[in-house]
């Protein structure tokens, strides 16, 4: 199995069996984002305690890239300090521009499987949707 096939399998796995799927009771922040270009929708909810993202849940529908990316983001960021989550979002942004080092890619875990999306300009918004929702949830929770 080559790398492209492995990546493809990870994307299919996350889109079919999304991690952290569902809703939270009394979340600290919630954000619903649409990608009208593709019809993707993500509703992300988080809980924050002691500077860490302690709970994450999302619901959504749309293309497999948008749903897999949100699942990968949720799994990766769960339990991590807010500052680290912000850094991961920033690395993911740069991956979509093709501006990351191998070391940074490692930090993204399964989400590094979406590296190839940068070649398809129309799909970048799909991949970014869940990460943008997380970024806006963090802003809400810090207010
Ligand atoms: Zn999409």
């Amino acid at each position: 199995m080559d790398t492209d096939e492995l990546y493809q399998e990870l994307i299919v796995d996350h889109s079919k069996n999304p991690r952290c799927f569902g809703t939270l009771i009394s979340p600290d922040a919630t954000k619903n984002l649409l990608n009208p270009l593709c019809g993707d929708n993500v509703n992300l909810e988080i809980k924050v305690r002691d500077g860490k993202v302690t709970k994450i849940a999302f619901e959504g529908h749309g293309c497999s890239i948008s749903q897999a990316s949100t699942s990968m983001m949720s799994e990766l960021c769960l339990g991590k300090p807010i500052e680290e989550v912000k850094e991961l979002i920033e690395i993911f942004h740069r991956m979509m521009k093709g501006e990351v080092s191998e070391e940074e890619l490692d930090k993204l875990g399964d989400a590094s499987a979406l590296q190839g999306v940068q070649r398809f300009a129309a799909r970048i918004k799909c991949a970014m949707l869940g990460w943008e929702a997380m970024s806006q949830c963090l802003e809400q929770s810090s207010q």
Side-chain angles (χ1 to χ4, degrees):
M1 187 185 289
D2 68 22
T3 315
D4 278 352
E5 282 175 286
L6 181 72
Y7 283 177
Q8 196 57 42
E9 280 211 350
L10 272 171
I11 294 166
V12 169
D13 179 45
H14 274 271
S15 66
K16 283 191 175 163
N17 310 294
R19 322 299 198 261
C20 304
F21 200 82
T23 55
L24 299 178
I25 297 163
S26 60
D28 294 315
T30 173
K31 189 69 200 177
N32 194 299
L33 285 184
L34 282 168
N35 172 18
L37 292 175
C38 184
D40 307 321
N41 173 245
V42 164
N43 187 71
L44 185 77
E45 299 182 338
I46 65 168
K47 269 185 175 285
V48 174
R49 288 288 176 277
D50 303 324
K52 287 183 182 175
V53 180
T54 52
K55 285 189 179 168
I56 301 176
F58 83 96
E59 286 184 329
H61 55 82
C63 69
S64 58
I65 288 180
S66 66
Q67 304 306 305
S69 185
T70 306
S71 169
M72 290 164 170
M73 182 281 295
S74 298
E75 185 176 58
L76 182 69
C77 296
L78 185 63
K80 289 204 164 69
I82 288 171
E83 288 313 310
E84 196 177 334
V85 171
K86 285 182 178 170
E87 188 196 349
L88 291 168
I89 293 168
E90 194 261 331
I91 292 173
F92 191 84
H93 267 260
R94 281 193 288 107
M95 182 175 80
M96 287 294 119
K97 297 181 195 164
E99 298 169 0
V100 282
S101 65
E102 285 295 319
E103 193 188 351
E104 288 174 322
L105 272 181
D106 283 348
K107 288 187 183 176
L108 291 178
D110 285 0
S112 63
L114 293 164
Q115 195 182 3
V117 173
Q118 62 171 288
R119 296 195 299 267
F120 308 97
R123 311 312 299 277
I124 291 176
K125 271 190 185 290
C126 304
M128 288 296 307
L129 197 64
W131 299 74
E132 181 58 29
M134 175 57 87
S135 180
Q136 294 191 25
C137 275
L138 291 179
E139 275 176 37
Q140 274 181 40
S141 68
S142 67
Q143 280 162 7

